Amino acid sequence: MKLNLLTLTAVMSLGLITTSCAQEERPYNNDDFLVTKAEVTHHTDLSVSVWQIDVKGTAGKTTPTPNGALDGAPVLGYVFPTSLKPTDVGFSQTEGIVALALTSHPDFDDTPLWDEDLDGDPKNIGDGVIWHPHWVVLHEDKRVAGGLAVKQFTKADNVTLPPTNPGMPMYMDSPGFPVTSKGNTIKVVVPDYRMNNQTSFKYDGVAAYMIVNTSKEDMPMLGVYDVFSVASGDLSLPYTVKKK
């Protein structure tokens, strides 16, 4: 089944995306990931948009406990599924949902161009735990409890990726946009020209738990294993960009 705006809602309603996984799979299910609002505001005078997720707790306070290895590494994310096209953010056209994910993961660095911890080494794993953005393309994957995974590809697929991609065989980019968190809010600023000057689109807000897999060929490389909360409640992408 191709994943589009209609089937994304269907995936949620059929329980393929779950917000009630077994407790042992929900070690980070707390108020820091209870989304209360998602908002994207376009600032015309600056030609940027500010993407914001509010939570009941403290945004960005909870980060994953290190796994000690890439395989099985936990990833936490505040995610904006959108109606944008893959080509709007530098990917070749493909089926799926374009999402902007703000992530934290202490076991690896997938932003080799950016030095988030300012230690002079843009490629060390210390950068990974600091909240940072990714463009990804999500598609339905029933093999994982959350029902979604980042879409993968092979060399034969002849895929186009943005030049800031981290070199993984997935529809993923590491654009380096600034992420800030304060109190119950986490924000990221995206220049218009980095998203094909798109300023009118639909979106939602999600808090999710993901796991990296590098050892099991029958499982996705980066799957969503739990969805803690959804701004709309049903992943219908009901929100539109506000103008300022």
Side-chain angles (χ1 to χ4, degrees):
M1 179 171 65
K2 294 180 179 179
L3 189 66
N4 52 36
L5 295 182
L6 292 176
T7 57
L8 183 61
T9 303
V11 166
M12 181 71 173
S13 65
L14 290 172
L16 299 178
I17 298 177
T18 177
T19 57
S20 58
C21 293
Q23 187 63 39
E24 59 269 21
E25 295 181 356
R26 315 196 78 198
Y28 307 101
N29 183 29
N30 59 48
D31 285 350
D32 296 348
F33 297 105
L34 180 56
V35 177
T36 59
K37 183 177 76 171
E39 183 175 273
V40 178
T41 303
H42 183 249
H43 296 253
T44 306
D45 58 333
L46 298 174
S47 296
V48 302
S49 58
V50 178
W51 303 50
Q52 171 180 332
I53 282 180
D54 290 1
V55 296
K56 183 178 180 181
T58 303
K61 179 182 178 181
T62 299
T63 57
T65 301
N67 176 59
L70 178 61
D71 189 32
V75 179
L76 289 170
Y78 299 100
V79 185
F80 299 86
T82 76
S83 62
L84 292 167
K85 298 176 182 177
T87 52
D88 289 331
V89 298
F91 299 119
S92 48
Q93 182 55 37
T94 189
E95 294 292 335
I97 292 292
V98 173
L100 182 59
L102 313 183
T103 67
S104 173
H105 42 74
D107 293 294
F108 63 100
D109 177 30
D110 54 8
T111 61
L113 296 178
W114 320 114
D115 183 18
E116 287 89 350
D117 65 359
L118 301 177
D119 70 344
D121 183 0
K123 297 183 180 181
N124 66 345
I125 62 173
D127 293 330
V129 72
I130 297 174
W131 291 95
H132 57 278
H134 292 290
W135 287 118
V136 295
V137 176
L138 299 172
H139 70 153
E140 181 187 353
D141 196 321
K142 298 179 182 179
R143 297 173 295 177
V144 291
L148 294 170
V150 177
K151 192 171 186 177
Q152 295 172 231
F153 57 82
T154 66
K155 290 183 179 180
D157 294 326
N158 195 27
V159 167
T160 298
L161 300 175
T164 48
N165 77 85
M168 298 177 176
M170 296 183 287
Y171 285 89
M172 175 185 286
D173 183 32
S174 303
F177 306 141
V179 176
T180 58
S181 56
K182 184 177 181 180
N184 68 334
T185 299
I186 189 166
K187 297 180 180 180
V188 60
V189 179
V190 183
D192 291 355
Y193 77 96
R194 296 289 296 276
M195 45 189 285
N196 198 26
N197 291 321
Q198 298 298 315
T199 60
S200 296
F201 52 89
K202 294 182 178 181
Y203 62 91
D204 214 325
V206 174
Y209 173 60
M210 296 159 276
I211 298 176
V212 177
N213 162 56
T214 60
S215 61
K216 300 176 182 178
E217 294 185 0
D218 60 340
M219 296 295 287
M221 179 173 289
L222 183 56
V224 178
Y225 283 79
D226 202 354
V227 175
F228 298 129
S229 58
V230 181
S232 68
D234 59 6
L235 272 178
S236 55
L237 278 63
Y239 308 117
T240 56
V241 179
K242 298 181 178 180
K243 308 296 182 181
K244 186 173 182 179

